[in-house]
Amino acid sequence: MLYQCSKEEREFLDKYDASKYERPSVTTDIVVFTLDDLDRLSILMIKRGQFPYKDRWALPGGFLHTGKESVDDCARRELMEETGIEEAFFSQLYTFGAPDRDPRTTVISVAYMALIPKHRLQICAGDDAKEAGIFQIKYDVDGMQFSNEKMTIRESDLAFDHANVIRMAIFRLRNRIDYEDDAFSLLKDTEEFTISELKKIHETIKNKSLDLPNFRKSFLRDYVKSGKVQELDKTIVSKGKPAKLYKLTGGDAS
Amino acid sequence: MLYQCSKEEREFLDKYDASKYERPSVTTDIVVFTLDDLDRLSILMIKRGQFPYKDRWALPGGFLHTGKESVDDCARRELMEETGIEEAFFSQLYTFGAPDRDPRTTVISVAYMALIPKHRLQICAGDDAKEAGIFQIKYDVDGMQFSNEKMTIRESDLAFDHANVIRMAIFRLRNRIDYEDDAFSLLKDTEEFTISELKKIHETIKNKSLDLPNFRKSFLRDYVKSGKVQELDKTIVSKGKPAKLYKLTGGDAS
DNA sequence: TCAAAAGTGTTTCCCATACACCCATGC
DNA sequence: GCATGGGTGTATGGGAAACACTTTTGA
């Protein structure tokens, strides 16, 4: 944004002392959703190496490099640093601004959510300096649980207000899935996928099973007829009748 | 939030130097929607008294009192200061974080939207030290226009990126109106209103006329049968058949 | 008696759901 | 052949949209 202004205003700006207002720290936190090997809804979390909440699990994220990047870019950079992923579906979720949500000082967190297929995450999740893990999201009587092969974490064990952030992210994801194209972002390969694969993603997110014939109908109506998705000549064989393959046109849904 | 921790961690926190990360300024901006006397969608704007963007029109808002209030409370306080309104329907919209959106320094803005009936605004809008105005939102070939009896402002004349903020607020409002109870917040009197009054609000926000019989049907189904709205014994007479009055139960929709 | 606005009832159509049935492959 | 999953077609029901019609007031 080029800011044109008068000589008088330019002088004001040059003399402006940004430090006269006390300023908060700003971080971004990212809820990275993925599907695990059994197609269950999962999220990426990082074990904290320092205080506060040392050794507790938290969402990936970090401080804004003030003046050097936008808030969006900060989230993108953090995602890159924690997962190695350059480009991904990505959307701002909510800003959490309670003054005591971080015991150090006022830290305002702009939360984002991202949808990333598991195979793109696996490269990075294990061999990082910090401990990272992908946890399946479960529910019991008093809230969420996060578990993988090694361990289970209760929602009350998470760092900061991250349980809240995750709850809100799940809520938004479930609401968006019906009218946004988010589901495509979780496909293993947007250049070659079957209707059943896409249906599985919807089922996982909505946590209920869908009728395949009806799902196909809406898929053809909403995506193929409008040109967002293209039918390929190929089919894929596994068990039963070979399935038609489709391809997402016009770049990723990012 | 009470933060329990070990002696070791307490020492870390006490020594923590919050200033070692460069921090941005944080403001809240509020899109205050209302309906003008002719039931047209309007917003409140303030004429800026200082640089930057001196004498330009902007959304009401201001800097966070870091450490003394949450971001939500900051928006509530600003709304109170600019309009005198203590309680109102209120919802976080989006956080704008481009590094150059304010020429002074990095200023991150958490935008909110509020819906307030005109008669509650009028008290304050004229007699404030700062100049305030309620502007009807219009559209022409290249964007929005904001006008009242005295003047018309083009969207390119607004301060900062506030035209963007307003655009997003309108988009969200239009999407929410169908499945949230936002419209009630714009009623002159939630203790006594007619179906036609509520319909007018929906029509204004969606910018299209609705069928009264059908609107009545969904109103009765969604609100009266569920007890959210109560039918009164009174009717109101103006021209034509007297209309039944309804009352919103269980407090405001805020 | 007429205009104007409230209120009622009916018809139509679309779309989501449910489900019966056929198709193509591996074994 | 038969089990398995892909793919097609049809019936049903509920809700939104369109609209004809009645009711009650003021002028």
Side-chain angles (χ1 to χ4, degrees), chain B residues 33 41 136-147 154-155 166-167 170-171 174 204-205 207:
Chain B
F33 285 112
L41 190 62
Q136 182 205 347
I137 303 167
K138 288 180 186 168
Y139 302 88
D140 68 4
V141 275
D142 41 16
M144 298 178 287
Q145 278 186 339
F146 307 92
S147 54
R154 308 240 43 258
E155 72 167 80
I166 294 169
R167 238 192 309 274
I170 295 171
F171 184 79
R174 289 216 170 124
T204 298
I205 291 173
N207 199 27

Side-chain angles (χ1 to χ4, degrees), chain A residues 36-163:
Chain A
D36 71 5
D37 303 317
L38 281 83
D39 283 323
R40 295 169 304 198
L41 189 63
S42 310
I43 60 168
L44 173 68
M45 289 198 289
I46 309 282
K47 191 169 181 178
R48 288 184 60 81
Q50 328 100 336
F51 295 122
Y53 294 104
K54 191 176 171 203
D55 298 324
R56 303 277 276 278
W57 290 84
L59 293 171
F63 285 92
L64 176 72
H65 291 181
T66 305
K68 298 189 184 115
E69 62 185 358
S70 68
V71 177
D72 281 7
D73 286 339
C74 174
R76 244 186 294 271
R77 177 177 54 74
E78 293 292 342
L79 187 66
M80 169 68 193
E81 287 174 10
E82 315 265 23
T83 68
I85 287 172
E86 290 255 19
E87 230 183 301
F89 171 83
F90 200 81
S91 118
Q92 190 185 302
L93 181 62
Y94 197 78
T95 295
F96 295 83
D100 57 356
R101 54 177 296 286
D102 190 309
R104 288 168 291 190
T105 177
T106 299
V107 178
I108 288 161
S109 167
V110 185
Y112 287 77
M113 63 182 233
L115 301 179
I116 299 179
K118 175 98 184 298
H119 71 279
R120 294 184 66 194
L121 281 176
Q122 278 169 323
I123 321 148
C124 221
D127 58 17
D128 207 294
K130 283 181 275 187
E131 200 178 343
I134 293 170
F135 295 86
Q136 181 205 348
I137 303 168
K138 288 182 187 169
Y139 301 88
D140 68 5
V141 277
D142 41 16
M144 297 178 288
Q145 279 185 340
F146 309 92
S147 54
N148 60 16
E149 321 77 49
K150 293 182 211 154
M151 61 195 304
T152 292
I153 306 167
R154 308 239 45 258
E155 74 167 77
S156 54
D157 292 329
L158 296 187
F160 306 106
D161 52 359
H162 286 183

Side-chain angles (χ1 to χ4, degrees), chain A residues 196 213 216-217 240-241 244:
Chain A
S196 292
R216 162 175 286 105
K217 247 175 293 181
K241 180 173 175 178
K244 257 179 207 153

Side-chain angles (χ1 to χ4, degrees), chain A residues 176-233:
Chain A
R176 283 175 60 109
I177 194 73
D178 284 323
Y179 61 93
E180 298 279 348
D181 306 343
D182 297 1
F184 292 105
S185 320
L186 285 171
L187 287 168
K188 287 192 186 65
D189 183 1
T190 55
E191 299 290 306
E192 268 193 9
F193 62 91
T194 67
I195 294 182
S196 292
E197 278 166 22
L198 191 65
K199 169 171 161 281
K200 222 66 224 52
I201 295 171
H202 275 86
E203 287 177 326
T204 299
I205 291 173
K206 299 170 91 163
N207 199 27
K208 71 170 185 180
S209 65
L210 301 170
D211 181 83
L212 181 55
N214 293 330
F215 186 85
R216 162 175 286 105
K217 247 175 293 181
S218 11
F219 174 77
L220 294 174
R221 174 168 37 81
D222 298 342
Y223 295 107
V224 180
K225 283 203 178 140
S226 72
K228 289 181 191 167
V229 161
Q230 199 183 325
E231 185 185 327
L232 300 178
D233 268 340

Side-chain angles (χ1 to χ4, degrees), chain B residues 159-175:
Chain B
F160 306 106
D161 52 1
H162 287 183
N164 266 332
V165 180
I166 294 169
R167 238 192 309 274
M168 189 179 282
I170 295 171
F171 184 79
R172 272 274 261 285
L173 180 61
R174 289 216 170 124
N175 282 332

